[in-house]
């Protein structure tokens, strides 16, 4: 038997002879030579893995995330260490020190509670003061409105009556109209105007030729009274026996009274500043 036959008779030589040769992928048609393929052709799998992992290719975003994670971890480590130090200090403190610390915490809690109650009391006081100030402001406005109505500086409206006096013979004098004003005031009239002239506390009436003057303003018949008040009181006050209506009838004049749910008194008087009188609170 020859030497080649002897080697062929061994199992190892037969196994290597049966294994196929490593197949190298053929290049694509028209493609040129691949230098990288030539360089990697002689590398093992472990060498190619190491070459892919080093040097590392780090992007800017990855670097920022790494720095943030490092900072977060460092902060957590510092906090844990600080808490551990505090817990260690409390664990190592004496009983007297722990009692003192608890007393100080109780005192501080009590002071904070007292301060809270004081602030709440101040808040309630300010709220009450604000409410009182608002109520005082409303009362002041209402009082000013009421005084304005009485003084004739603001317009008014409400239920009342309208009395019209006709004087075909010119026999009505200022005294007859003054009696009517006084009777209406006594019956509760709150606002009166006659022929567009507001009647106030200082109003005076005089005879003026064939007519009457109210506070220097001449008015002519028919005399039209617009009065705000309770109609159930005003009308009977004018119609009582021997009252205003009968007196005018004796003077050959006619007085008609009509009730109304809405009377408008819009004649205004300018506010007059007193020359001598002053408020007693000044």
């Amino acid at each position: 038997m020859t030497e080649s036959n002897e080697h062929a008779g061994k199992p190892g030589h037969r196994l290597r002879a049966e294994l196929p040769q490593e197949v190298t992928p053929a290049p694509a048609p028209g493609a040129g030579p691949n230098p990288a393929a030539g360089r990697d052709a002689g590398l093992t799998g472990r060498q190619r893995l190491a070459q892919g992992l080093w040097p590392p290719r780090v992007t800017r975003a990855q670097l920022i995330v790494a720095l943030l994670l490092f900072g977060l971890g460092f902060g957590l480590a510092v906090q844990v260490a600080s808490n551990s130090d505090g817990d260690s200090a409390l664990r190592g403190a004496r009983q007297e020190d722990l009692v003192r610390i608890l007393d100080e915490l109780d005192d501080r809690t009590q002071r904070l509670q007292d301060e809270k109650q004081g602030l709440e009391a101040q808040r309630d006081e300010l709220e009450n003061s604000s409410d009182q100030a608002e109520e005082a402001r409303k009362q002041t406005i209402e009082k000013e409105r009421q005084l304005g109505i009485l003084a004739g500086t603001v317009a008014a409206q409400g239920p009342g009556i309208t009395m019209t006096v006709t004087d075909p013979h010119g026999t009505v004098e200022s005294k007859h109209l003054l009696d009517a004003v006084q009777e209406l005031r006594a019956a509760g009239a709150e606002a009166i105007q006659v022929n567009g002239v507001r009647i106030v506390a200082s109003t005076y009436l005089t005879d003026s030729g064939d007519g009457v003057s109210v506070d220097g303003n001449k008015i002519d018949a028919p005399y039209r009274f617009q009065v705000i008040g309770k109609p159930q009181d005003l009308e009977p006050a004018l119609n009582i026996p021997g009252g205003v209506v009968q007196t005018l009838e004796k003077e050959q004049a006619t007085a008609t009274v009509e009730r109304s749910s809405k009377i408008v008194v819009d004649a205004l008087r300018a506010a007059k500043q007193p020359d001598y009188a002053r408020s007693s609170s000044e």
Side-chain angles (χ1 to χ4, degrees), residues 1 5 19 35 80 93 95 102 114 142 148-149 217 224 250-251 254 267 275:
M1 183 181 292
N5 291 333
L19 291 175
V80 171
Q95 184 176 0
L102 288 176
D114 295 340
E142 180 63 20
I149 292 174
N217 300 295
R224 188 166 182 262
K250 290 179 181 179
E251 298 296 331
T254 303
D275 296 328

Side-chain angles (χ1 to χ4, degrees), residues 90-101:
L90 291 177
R91 284 195 297 267
R94 297 177 302 173
Q95 184 176 0
E96 294 81 0
D97 295 335
L98 292 176
V99 172
R100 179 179 54 81
I101 292 174

Side-chain angles (χ1 to χ4, degrees), residues 229-245:
K230 188 176 181 180
Q232 295 84 348
D233 296 336
L234 297 176
E235 182 181 8
L238 296 174
N239 287 299
I240 60 175
V244 173
V245 174

Side-chain angles (χ1 to χ4, degrees), residues 183-253:
E183 194 67 45
L184 290 170
R185 284 176 174 171
E190 297 177 353
I192 306 173
Q193 73 180 27
V194 182
N195 288 26
V197 180
R198 189 73 168 264
I199 305 298
V200 295
S202 60
T203 294
Y204 62 93
L205 290 84
T206 59
D207 294 322
S208 176
D210 56 350
V212 178
S213 293
V214 180
D215 291 333
N217 300 295
K218 188 176 183 301
I219 59 175
D220 299 319
Y223 306 109
R224 188 166 182 262
F225 288 74
Q226 292 173 279
V227 187
I228 295 177
K230 188 176 181 180
Q232 295 84 348
D233 296 336
L234 297 176
E235 182 181 8
L238 296 174
N239 287 299
I240 60 175
V244 173
V245 174
Q246 288 189 0
T247 300
L248 291 173
E249 289 177 351
K250 290 179 181 179
E251 298 296 331
Q252 298 181 347

Side-chain angles (χ1 to χ4, degrees), residues 14-261:
R14 287 197 304 270
L15 180 61
R16 283 194 297 272
E18 292 173 0
L19 291 175
Q21 297 296 328
E22 182 177 359
V23 179
T24 303
N34 188 354
R39 289 195 304 269
D40 297 340
L43 298 178
T44 64
R46 181 177 298 178
Q47 291 174 340
R48 285 196 296 270
L49 177 61
Q51 186 178 10
L53 294 177
W54 190 264
R57 298 175 177 85
V58 181
T59 64
R60 183 177 181 182
Q62 292 173 341
L63 180 60
I64 293 175
V65 171
L67 292 175
L68 292 176
L69 292 175
F70 174 77
L72 178 61
F74 182 76
L76 291 175
V78 171
Q79 183 176 2
V80 171
S82 177
N83 293 335
S84 299
D85 293 340
D87 295 340
S88 300
L90 291 177
R91 284 195 297 267
R94 297 177 302 173
Q95 184 176 0
E96 294 81 0
D97 295 335
L98 292 176
V99 172
R100 179 179 54 81
I101 292 174
L102 288 176
D103 291 339
E104 291 178 354
L105 290 176
D106 291 340
D107 293 341
R108 183 178 180 184
T109 302
Q110 185 62 39
R111 288 196 302 271
L112 292 175
Q113 187 67 24
D114 295 340
E115 184 178 357
K116 175 186 175 184
Q117 293 178 355
L119 293 175
E120 289 177 349
Q122 291 180 5
R123 180 198 61 189
D124 296 339
E125 183 178 357
L126 290 174
E127 289 179 351
N128 293 333
S129 299
S130 177
D131 294 340
Q132 292 176 0
E134 180 64 20
E135 183 63 25
R137 188 184 68 84
K138 291 180 180 179
Q139 293 180 2
T140 301
I141 294 175
E142 180 63 20
K143 191 67 175 178
E144 181 181 1
R145 187 187 66 84
Q146 294 174 359
L147 293 176
I149 292 174
L150 297 177
T153 58
V154 297
Q157 67 177 18
I161 64 169
T162 299
M163 182 178 70
T164 304
V165 178
T166 59
D167 183 21
H169 302 287
T171 57
V172 176
E173 299 178 354
S174 59
K175 63 180 181 179
H176 301 118
L177 301 184
L178 180 59
D179 289 342
V181 171
Q182 292 176 344
E183 194 67 45
L184 290 170
R185 284 176 174 171
E190 297 177 353
I192 306 173
Q193 73 180 27
V194 182
N195 288 26
V197 180
R198 189 73 168 264
I199 305 298
V200 295
S202 60
T203 294
Y204 62 93
L205 290 84
T206 59
D207 294 322
S208 176
D210 56 350
V212 178
S213 293
V214 180
D215 291 333
N217 300 295
K218 188 176 183 301
I219 59 175
D220 299 319
Y223 306 109
R224 188 166 182 262
F225 288 74
Q226 292 173 279
V227 187
I228 295 177
K230 188 176 181 180
Q232 295 84 348
D233 296 336
L234 297 176
E235 182 181 8
L238 296 174
N239 287 299
I240 60 175
V244 173
V245 174
Q246 288 189 0
T247 300
L248 291 173
E249 289 177 351
K250 290 179 181 179
E251 298 296 331
Q252 298 181 347
T254 303
T256 57
V257 180
E258 295 180 358
R259 298 185 184 186
S260 176
S261 60

